[in-house]
Amino acid sequence: APSGDPLTQAVQIPPHRDPDVPLLLAALLSPTRERRPSAAQTLAHPAFAAPGQRMRKEALRQAVEVDSRLAQLLGEREEIERERRRLSARERALDEQQAARHRELDRKAQALREEEAKVQIACFSFPPHWSAAAGMQPEAALSLVHVTDRGVRAALQACMEGTGIGEGGRDQRLPGRYSKLVLQEAWRVENPGLMQGYQGAQRRVMALEGKVGASLMKEKIRPELYRSAADLPWELQKSCGEVRLLHG
């Protein structure tokens, strides 16, 4: 055939809404005889199928695609569910580890408290002037002891003298005026539990002295009270700022 023969050129098939029609036209217009379909093949081509059959074929194809996509989504969902179960198991394991750690910390804290209590009992010492100090225990009940020692009573009397003490007084309830206070009776409260806590506080204050960057505040005590209180039993721990005060 001449080189200008249009059958030898590429055939431009116009677009069609049925995708099978352009395929059939391209085959029928092929310059190669072997590629052109016969009449029977042409009639059997999908382009000549009934519209309903083509619709069913298209619907079947779409249904297959939907089933494939649905199977893919179900697979992804199963994978997500497996991952969620793995995370849940991991979270439970972490919660159990954390709970076990808290129990261990609580056990150690309890052991430390018990050890601290034992140390406090071991380090605890009763004031030597307390009654039956050698035989008392830290858990003993408190007691009220009548002070009969003349030296202690004289020191207590001296604590109530000097610098205006006994000259009237805002707490006076009886008429008239008085010029001094006279000691009549004295009792000492012996509380082993309270003394144990007090001595523990003393040790903590002495341990902190010089480590917190500030010295202990010095209380201003009347000279007469300071001198008189020095004659009372039990030496003060000046390293932790211990002083004797009167109240009433």
Side-chain angles (χ1 to χ4, degrees):
S3 58
D5 190 338
L7 294 179
T8 62
Q9 307 299 322
V11 178
Q12 300 294 329
I13 305 299
H16 195 276
R17 64 180 181 180
D18 189 343
D20 292 324
V21 171
L23 297 176
L24 176 59
L25 291 177
L28 290 173
L29 296 176
S30 176
T32 305
R33 180 178 180 181
E34 289 77 10
R35 294 182 180 179
R36 292 194 298 271
S38 62
Q41 292 173 337
T42 301
L43 293 176
H45 196 274
F48 287 95
Q53 183 179 355
R54 289 198 301 272
M55 291 178 64
R56 285 194 297 273
K57 180 181 178 182
E58 180 64 19
L60 180 60
R61 183 186 65 80
Q62 293 180 0
V64 171
E65 291 182 356
V66 170
D67 290 343
S68 177
R69 179 57 179 164
L70 180 60
Q72 181 181 357
L73 292 176
L74 290 176
E76 294 176 356
R77 179 180 177 182
E78 291 178 358
E79 180 62 26
I80 292 174
E81 184 65 21
R82 286 193 295 269
E83 183 66 20
R84 188 189 67 80
R85 288 194 294 269
R86 286 194 295 268
L87 291 176
S88 298
R90 177 61 176 168
E91 288 178 356
R92 287 194 298 271
L94 291 176
D95 290 341
E96 293 174 358
Q97 293 177 2
Q98 188 174 16
R101 179 167 178 80
H102 286 170
R103 289 192 296 270
E104 179 65 16
L105 291 176
D106 291 341
R107 186 189 65 79
K108 291 182 178 180
Q110 180 62 27
L112 286 176
R113 286 191 292 269
E114 294 175 356
E115 186 66 22
E116 182 180 8
K118 293 179 182 178
V119 171
Q120 287 181 353
I121 293 175
C123 297
F124 177 69
S125 61
F126 290 100
H129 63 284
W130 278 19
S131 59
M136 295 183 69
Q137 298 296 324
E139 63 273 11
L142 63 88
S143 58
L144 191 64
V145 180
H146 186 211
V147 178
T148 58
D149 185 276
R150 293 183 177 181
V152 176
R153 294 175 65 89
L156 290 174
Q157 175 63 48
C159 289
M160 296 187 296
E161 298 174 356
T163 319
I165 294 181
E167 297 178 359
R170 61 184 179 183
D171 296 328
Q172 181 177 349
R173 295 293 181 266
L174 298 177
R177 293 181 61 82
Y178 57 87
S179 59
K180 64 179 179 179
L181 299 177
V182 178
L183 178 70
Q184 294 297 317
E185 292 296 344
W187 286 267
R188 179 175 59 249
V189 177
E190 297 180 355
N191 189 331
L194 189 61
M195 178 58 70
Q196 181 181 10
Y198 180 76
Q199 289 184 355
Q202 276 185 322
R203 290 191 294 272
R204 287 192 292 272
V205 172
M206 288 186 289
L208 290 175
E209 175 67 6
K211 296 182 179 180
V212 295
S215 59
L216 294 174
M217 181 176 63
K218 304 300 181 181
E219 295 291 342
K220 294 182 178 180
I221 307 299
R222 290 186 300 108
E224 296 87 351
L225 175 60
Y226 188 84
R227 290 192 297 268
S228 302
D231 295 330
L232 292 172
W234 198 24
E235 184 179 357
L236 298 179
Q237 296 291 336
K238 297 181 179 179
S239 60
C240 61
E242 189 176 32
V243 295
R244 287 189 175 97
L245 302 174
L246 299 181
H247 69 88

